[in-house]
Amino acid sequence: SNVISTRIDRNALSVIPSLFNTALLPKMIQRREGQIIYISSVQGKLAIPYRSAYTASKHACQAFFDSLRAEVAQHNIKIFVSSPGYVRTNLSINALTTDGSKHGVMDKETDKGISPENFASSMVEDGVNEERDVMLCSTIAKVAVFLRHNIPSAYFWIMRNRAKNTS
């Protein structure tokens, strides 16, 4: 197995069967109520250079939960997806390089990200308010998502230049 398939398997493919291979969803359907909260990433809404496996896994989960939200609404089951931007965690330190070793460095963007405590507080508030799909990220990230969906040529130009400047 390679690093890309490992990352995709861990982030996307393990989430989907776990909901159905346990009694979680069937019990919610039986009770005709429930709430599923999935912590995604703004990268589930847009792709940035050099995060292809992570982004692919988050896109897959975003699509899964968007579909599931419609499928279970008739059973009064609510699906909440929280898509934060950078959260100050050890994600970049523990990220795998192409050879499978740990990256070992805190990215600048991650270091400047929201604290885990502030993210958790915002997520709970959004869940209580029954928000369905929330992006907790910078204005720049929100503009990027807007561009990706409304002016894709501009978005692709920006990402192409970002990749050149990062490599």
Side-chain angles (χ1 to χ4, degrees):
S1 172
N2 63 36
V3 173
I4 290 176
S5 67
T6 300
R7 172 68 69 180
I8 293 171
D9 289 348
R10 189 175 344 142
N11 284 338
L13 303 178
S14 63
V15 170
I16 296 168
S18 69
L19 284 173
F20 292 99
N21 292 337
T22 67
L24 175 69
L25 195 55
K27 291 289 186 189
M28 287 181 178
I29 290 171
Q30 184 180 33
R31 283 194 327 257
R32 300 200 50 75
E33 71 174 343
Q35 184 175 34
I36 297 171
I37 300 172
Y38 174 65
I39 301 172
S40 184
S41 167
V42 72
Q43 290 181 47
K45 302 203 176 276
L46 58 86
I48 64 171
Y50 307 109
R51 300 284 174 110
S52 56
Y54 180 78
T55 298
S57 68
K58 292 300 183 180
H59 271 79
C61 288
Q62 179 74 45
F64 172 76
F65 285 106
D66 286 350
S67 294
L68 187 64
R69 183 182 293 116
E71 295 166 8
V72 300
Q74 65 188 334
H75 302 291
N76 195 34
I77 298 170
K78 297 169 177 69
I79 306 290
F80 169 59
V81 178
S82 180
S83 300
Y86 292 102
V87 179
R88 213 171 21 249
T89 67
N90 289 337
L91 180 66
S92 63
I93 294 170
N94 294 322
L96 300 178
T97 64
T98 54
D99 68 4
S101 62
K102 283 190 179 181
H103 178 59
V105 177
M106 175 70 75
D107 293 344
K108 284 189 307 187
E109 295 86 359
T110 302
D111 195 39
K112 292 186 289 188
I114 187 173
S115 74
E117 296 80 11
N118 287 344
F119 167 67
S121 176
S122 295
M123 194 180 76
V124 168
E125 183 178 324
D126 291 333
V128 167
N129 292 330
E130 296 190 2
E131 298 291 335
R132 299 287 176 258
D133 196 353
V134 176
M135 290 192 314
L136 298 168
C137 57
S138 68
T139 302
I140 291 172
K142 289 178 183 176
V143 168
V145 171
F146 174 85
L147 288 174
R148 171 63 183 97
H149 293 284
N150 296 287
I151 313 171
S153 58
Y155 169 80
F156 293 132
W157 179 83
I158 291 167
M159 290 302 114
R160 197 168 40 250
N161 287 313
R162 181 175 175 165
K164 275 190 228 173
N165 294 333
T166 306
S167 62

